[in-house]
Amino acid sequence: MKALVVLLGLTVLGLKGQTSISGTIKTAVSKEALAYVNIGILGAGVGTVSNENGSFRMDIRKKYYQDSLKISMIGFRSKTFLVQDFIQLLEKEKVVYLSEKVLELEEVVLVNRKLKNRTLGNRTTSKILSDGFDSDQLGNEAGLVIRIKKSPTYVQSFHASVAKNEHKELKFRLNFYNLKNGLPYQNILKENIIVTSTLASGILSVDLRRYDIVMEEDFFVSLEWIEDFGAGDLRFSIGFLGSPVIYREASQGRWTVINGVGPGFRVKVKQ
């Protein structure tokens, strides 16, 4: 596998106790923009996502200079820096090298039973009970834990109940994570799943059969905010029963559980 070089053309500017970082992320081999890279301070709710052109911008307050900043992308090896060291590195070299992950062949699972279609998750479609994303920071992410009951489980599609959408077009990244201590841990996907829709209300559906997502244990599924939609309201149906919502404010942020309510997200599977 070829290693990829991510080049960041960055301008670092100190402003009233904070540093503003902006730049472009590209692959060194093709010189093409690397879109939707997660950049953020671990556990701090301070982060962003590069846009379709590979450009990004974020402000870092001085109180975070001794914290860790992580750069991650599906299909690449993540890198973590001390924030202060990262800023200094960018001022001198302006280059961050990311190596492509070597994909391991997965064991083929043979199932000696007739598979049944099932729907797992929260089925609510309420337009009265609804909620939106917690913040407008890129990388803001929300979802729920799916209990599979039988293994292996073959994920066929994802569905989200949109109560209200005032934007012309929606664009999200759909993520699947394994769990650690009941919270999202590692993204198990091998490629980005980008979801676009012009749906004003109703069921947003994503066919996932070509991605060959096979789960052996309970997992977390989420929608991640990767583009600024501008002014307008976006709300998903929520319900008082079922799996609770789990969210984080920005890329690399800390996961938070809100018990008692859950988003109208569900998956159709074969078990």
Side-chain angles (χ1 to χ4, degrees):
M1 306 294 286
K2 294 182 179 179
L4 296 182
V5 181
V6 180
L7 303 178
L8 294 87
L10 294 144
T11 301
V12 179
L13 177 64
L15 291 173
K16 295 183 179 179
Q18 69 180 20
T19 299
S20 180
I21 300 176
S22 63
T24 302
I25 305 179
K26 297 181 179 180
T27 65
V29 176
S30 64
K31 307 298 183 183
E32 294 179 354
L34 191 56
Y36 310 132
V37 177
N38 293 106
I39 306 160
I41 299 173
L42 292 175
V46 178
T48 191
V49 175
S50 63
N51 65 18
E52 284 187 329
N53 300 317
S55 299
F56 74 93
R57 180 186 181 281
M58 63 181 294
D59 297 327
I60 303 176
R61 296 172 63 184
K62 285 186 176 179
K63 72 175 186 177
Y64 295 117
Y65 281 13
Q66 298 305 310
D67 291 346
S68 296
L69 179 143
K70 184 177 181 180
I71 300 175
S72 64
M73 176 69 171
I74 293 173
F76 299 88
R77 296 191 181 279
S78 301
K79 279 203 167 182
T80 304
F81 302 86
L82 188 71
V83 170
Q84 183 171 283
D85 292 344
F86 182 65
I87 294 172
Q88 292 175 353
L89 173 67
L90 297 177
E91 290 175 327
K92 294 178 181 179
E93 300 181 13
K94 304 188 186 303
V95 179
V96 174
Y97 297 89
L98 295 182
S99 298
E100 189 175 357
K101 287 183 179 178
V102 177
L103 298 179
E104 298 180 357
L105 294 177
E106 296 183 355
E107 181 181 353
V108 176
V109 179
L110 299 179
V111 180
N112 187 24
R113 69 170 188 267
K114 185 177 180 180
L115 298 177
K116 295 183 179 180
N117 295 314
R118 300 182 186 277
T119 299
L120 307 177
N122 294 341
R123 298 170 181 260
T124 178
T125 58
S126 173
K127 289 184 171 58
I128 298 174
L129 297 174
S130 63
D131 201 359
F133 276 77
D134 182 67
S135 79
D136 59 1
Q137 289 192 85
L138 297 182
N140 187 202
E141 190 171 359
L144 76 169
V145 172
I146 300 293
R147 311 291 180 186
I148 67 171
K149 300 180 181 179
K150 288 186 178 181
S151 177
T153 290
Y154 302 88
V155 181
Q156 303 295 293
S157 58
F158 169 82
H159 307 269
S161 180
V162 179
K164 180 182 180 181
N165 171 35
E166 296 179 344
H167 303 280
K168 291 183 178 180
E169 182 181 60
L170 302 176
K171 181 176 284 188
F172 298 100
R173 175 161 43 205
L174 179 62
N175 292 316
F176 285 79
Y177 296 83
N178 57 20
L179 301 174
K180 184 177 182 179
N181 299 324
L183 293 175
Y185 182 50
Q186 295 173 323
N187 196 320
I188 59 91
L189 296 178
K190 297 180 177 63
E191 60 181 299
N192 282 314
I193 302 177
I194 305 302
V195 180
T196 59
S197 176
T198 58
L199 187 70
S201 66
I203 304 300
L204 171 63
S205 298
V206 185
D207 188 342
L208 299 173
R209 287 174 293 181
R210 77 175 187 88
Y211 296 98
D212 296 323
I213 302 172
V214 183
M215 307 305 297
E216 299 285 345
E217 298 177 337
D218 295 344
F219 62 92
F220 178 77
V221 61
S222 67
L223 288 177
E224 179 187 359
W225 189 290
I226 58 172
E227 282 196 4
D228 184 358
F229 304 143
D233 197 13
L234 170 63
R235 306 183 73 82
F236 292 93
S237 301
I238 61 171
F240 292 117
L241 300 175
S243 296
V245 62
I246 301 177
Y247 77 96
R248 60 180 173 186
E249 295 180 53
S251 295
Q252 321 298 354
R254 181 182 294 106
W255 293 103
T256 300
V257 180
I258 301 180
N259 290 303
V261 295
F265 294 178
R266 54 196 176 276
V267 292
K268 291 185 177 181
V269 304
K270 287 184 179 293
Q271 293 183 322

